[in-house]
Amino acid sequence: MWQREGGRRAVGARLVRLLLALAAVATESAAGIPRRYTPDWPSLDSRPLPGWFDEAKFGVFVHWGVFSVPAWGSEWFWWHWQGERLPQYQRFMRDNYPPGFSYADFGPQFTARFFDPDRWADLFLAAGAKYVVLTTKHHEGFTNWPSPVSWNWNSKDVGPHRDLVGELGAAVRKRNIRYGLYHSLLEWFHPLYLLDKKNGFKTQHFVSAKTMPELYDLVNSYKPDLIWSDGEWECPDTYWNSTSFLSWLYNDSPVKDEVVVNDRWGQNCSCHHGGYYNCQDKYSPHSLPDHKWEMCTSVDRMSWGYRRDMTMSAIASEFEIISELVQTVSLGGNYLLNIGPTKDGLIVPIFQERLLAVGSWLQVNGEAIYASRPWREQYEKNTTSVWYTSKESAVYAIFLHWPDNGVLVLTYPITSSTTKVTMLGIEGELKWTTEYSVGLLISLPQLPPSALPVKFAWTVKLTDVK
Ligand SMILES: *[C@@H]1O[C@H](CO)[C@@H](O)[C@H](O)[C@H]1NC(C)=O
Ligand SMILES: *[C@@H]1O[C@H](CO)[C@@H](O)[C@H](O)[C@H]1NC(C)=O
Ligand SMILES: *[C@@H]1O[C@H](CO)[C@@H](O)[C@H](O)[C@H]1NC(C)=O
């Protein structure tokens, strides 16, 4: 806020301070001394996002935990059962488990018996993913690594008796895929969290005994490329001490130069503060945002964790998934697609099939996706079925549906005598012409469907266009 007294002198002094600060930044960077971030949003928000994230474009999200044991409804099972006491969950427990069976009793059944991290990582590689994000701890509080502050509620002491976070990380990195860690700040039923809640979050017992030790442990032990924070919504960032953690992460942690974070660090932070923005789950803007963002969504539209009651009607089709990927990337976002493995560590074939479909589409069209930038227009006039991306001197138009007359009409690109038009996955140039007040007319190759490189969402590449 501007002070009234002092007037011009105060403004002058402020200006001098600002210039000195800028000079200090310039000198520091000139001397190769990295700048330091202070634990407040203006400073933390000014950190440039490490470049790898925008280039990656596509990642796989993995929701895995004790909720994969009941595997019914969703990963919010415990909350629906004993937080909200929904009748269908009471019935499910009554019908399928002995009286007195507690949520903790699911722990030993989370065996991960057939978990082969190399097979998962091969699948994610074949899907074309450039990063993988695993739930290290969901709102249930069970840690998928041997956390020293999660006594008897971690994957080393209970269930798998393995370090799931470490094992998947090693397998993923062997394949040059970046590794991200999902972490829930809150735990629904942790006694210290409930105590802080009772105190109106004026105390921070849970944060000092659990949240912070675990976040630091995760960073120091696994050196993540990304921290996908969640479970922030009940309390302000001052309760979570988020800015203090983030300033350490950016200044002094072993991943300070490459690490990327999202925006869920306290009430009202999401879409405003942090690294890139997730905003809400499945967020999908209609025009180009001015901040890097990510759309996270799940192949099973009704759940992030594996559920045995999954039906085909809830499964996103290959067309829906690839359309979302294309739209997201055109609008400057990354696409993080979720699957939920079973309690014994298997990824069911329907999830494999969807991931592999993205992979084969990217094999042909990846040039228009990876490391691309939004173009000056994001989609063609009056339609949401033609999307643009760009890279260096090339403009890519990805069209989801094949036009009936075999002619693709693009109104935005301005051609020149040296313009060339090709289709990714097809040899040779395509014929084109322009028509006054219509635009660029591209004659698509006349091929039988079996000879086309993909089944939908083909890419034409334009060079020397404006
Ligand atoms: C929060 O951060 C401050 C500053 O780094 C620190 O002094 C304090 O102990 C932290 N509190 C908790 C609960 O972590
Ligand atoms: C967050 O926003 C809501 C609604 O605008 C407001 O009631 C609440 O006080 C805000 N919380 C914080 C921590 O700023
Ligand atoms: C787009 O829609 C507007 C309004 O409906 C119409 O006037 C215009 O001719 C359409 N443009 C094209 C290229 O179809």
Side-chain angles (χ1 to χ4, degrees):
M1 211 198 275
W2 291 100
Q3 290 164 268
R4 288 195 143 262
E5 9 114 49
R8 236 176 233 208
R9 271 238 305 280
V11 175
R14 218 171 272 126
L15 190 62
V16 168
R17 274 205 302 278
L18 177 67
L19 290 173
L20 285 173
L22 285 175
V25 168
T27 325
E28 275 186 9
S29 11
I33 304 165
R35 67 171 287 199
R36 293 195 61 87
Y37 296 92
T38 49
D40 55 80
W41 291 122
S43 174
L44 297 169
D45 289 347
S46 73
R47 177 178 181 255
L49 195 70
W52 71 265
F53 185 73
D54 180 45
E55 291 181 8
K57 305 298 183 191
F58 176 55
V60 171
F61 208 175
V62 181
H63 271 67
W64 201 28
V66 172
F67 50 77
S68 315
V69 175
W72 192 82
S74 82
E75 71 292 339
W76 277 57
F77 184 94
W78 195 3
W79 184 252
H80 294 323
W81 172 32
Q82 294 192 316
E84 296 177 302
R85 308 201 146 271
L86 297 182
Q88 64 271 39
Y89 285 76
Q90 313 302 322
R91 209 175 316 122
F92 173 84
M93 287 308 296
R94 220 174 27 242
D95 292 350
N96 297 291
Y97 294 90
F101 194 93
S102 72
Y103 192 77
D105 293 330
F106 287 127
Q109 296 180 26
F110 179 39
T111 63
R113 179 111 59 232
F114 307 117
F115 171 48
D116 180 346
D118 284 305
R119 281 182 70 181
W120 285 23
D122 279 338
L123 174 64
F124 304 152
L125 184 69
K130 299 291 182 189
Y131 62 112
V132 168
V133 180
L134 171 69
T135 50
T136 63
K137 183 196 84 170
H138 201 257
H139 315 322
E140 65 186 12
F142 185 89
T143 63
N144 283 336
W145 85 101
S147 161
V149 293
S150 192
W151 186 77
N152 232 16
W153 197 230
N154 69 76
S155 65
K156 195 79 183 177
D157 294 340
V158 178
H161 301 290
R162 291 166 71 174
D163 175 3
L164 307 177
V165 175
E167 288 189 39
L168 185 61
V172 152
R173 288 198 155 124
K174 240 191 275 169
R175 291 157 180 84
N176 275 325
I177 300 174
R178 299 266 182 175
Y179 194 37
L181 304 182
Y182 167 104
H183 170 267
S184 171
L185 293 168
L186 72 74
E187 292 177 26
W188 290 315
F189 301 108
H190 194 290
L192 293 178
Y193 185 67
L194 297 178
L195 174 64
D196 287 343
K197 193 188 268 196
K198 211 177 79 196
N199 295 336
F201 296 117
K202 301 278 191 291
T203 54
Q204 286 174 294
H205 301 297
F206 175 67
V207 179
S208 49
K210 193 72 172 27
T211 318
M212 280 304 143
E214 287 189 338
L215 270 175
Y216 282 84
D217 184 24
L218 281 172
V219 172
N220 288 321
S221 304
Y222 304 107
K223 307 191 173 46
D225 298 296
L226 190 161
I227 299 176
W228 211 103
S229 183
D230 195 19
E232 82 294 1
W233 56 81
E234 289 187 338
C235 335
D237 61 74
T238 46
Y239 170 74
W240 295 120
N241 242 17
S242 313
T243 56
S244 160
F245 168 72
L246 289 173
S247 63
W248 170 78
L249 187 70
Y250 293 174
N251 289 328
D252 301 310
S253 80
V255 290
K256 63 188 171 61
D257 298 323
E258 293 282 286
V259 75
V260 166
V261 305
N262 67 346
D263 54 353
R264 298 186 178 176
W265 297 100
Q267 226 169 44
N268 302 353
C269 281
S270 144
C271 243
H272 296 102
H273 298 298
Y276 70 82
Y277 294 167
N278 277 119
C279 304
Q280 315 90 301
D281 288 356
K282 310 188 183 179
Y283 172 66
S284 176
H286 295 292
S287 58
L288 186 65
D290 58 10
H291 192 95
K292 181 65 196 182
W293 63 285
E294 175 192 63
M295 182 204 196
C296 61
T297 190
S298 188
V299 173
D300 175 0
R301 297 304 200 197
M302 309 290 282
S303 178
W304 301 84
Y306 175 70
R307 58 185 181 113
R308 291 174 285 172
D309 52 333
M310 184 164 69
T311 56
M312 209 48 215
S313 61
I315 299 288
S317 68
E318 293 178 11
F319 179 80
E320 285 170 317
I321 290 170
I322 287 163
S323 305
E324 273 175 3
L325 166 69
V326 168
Q327 171 169 349
T328 300
V329 171
S330 289
L331 290 167
N334 277 19
Y335 188 62
L336 183 63
L337 182 62
N338 176 79
I339 51 105
T342 64
K343 64 174 179 170
D344 35 26
L346 299 172
I347 297 172
V348 295
I350 189 71
F351 293 155
Q352 295 181 31
E353 185 179 45
R354 290 299 182 266
L355 291 180
L356 293 171
V358 177
S360 15
W361 186 84
L362 281 168
Q363 278 285 320
V364 175
N365 299 285
E367 180 186 331
I369 299 291
Y370 300 125
S372 68
R373 307 238 172 251
W375 191 47
R376 68 172 159 86
E377 302 289 341
Q378 281 70 59
Y379 53 94
E380 214 12 271
K381 246 177 236 168
N382 299 356
T383 167
T384 48
S385 77
V386 183
W387 294 89
Y388 289 105
T389 64
S390 70
K391 193 189 286 177
E392 287 139 24
S393 64
V395 172
Y396 301 92
I398 304 171
F399 57 108
L400 304 178
H401 304 283
W402 195 272
D404 288 339
N405 62 358
V407 177
L408 178 67
V409 180
L410 302 177
T411 63
Y412 290 122
I414 300 165
T415 54
S416 69
S417 58
T418 55
T419 295
K420 277 195 187 131
V421 181
T422 54
M423 185 189 281
L424 298 188
I426 298 269
E427 292 283 314
E429 287 179 38
L430 302 186
K431 290 206 177 65
W432 59 271
T433 173
T434 56
E435 203 169 292
Y436 179 70
S437 89
V438 178
L440 170 60
L441 281 65
I442 300 169
S443 305
L444 297 174
Q446 304 207 336
L447 294 171
S450 62
L452 290 172
V454 285
K455 287 180 287 181
F456 41 74
W458 304 266
T459 305
V460 290
K461 176 180 182 178
L462 317 168
T463 51
D464 287 338
V465 292
K466 284 210 208 77

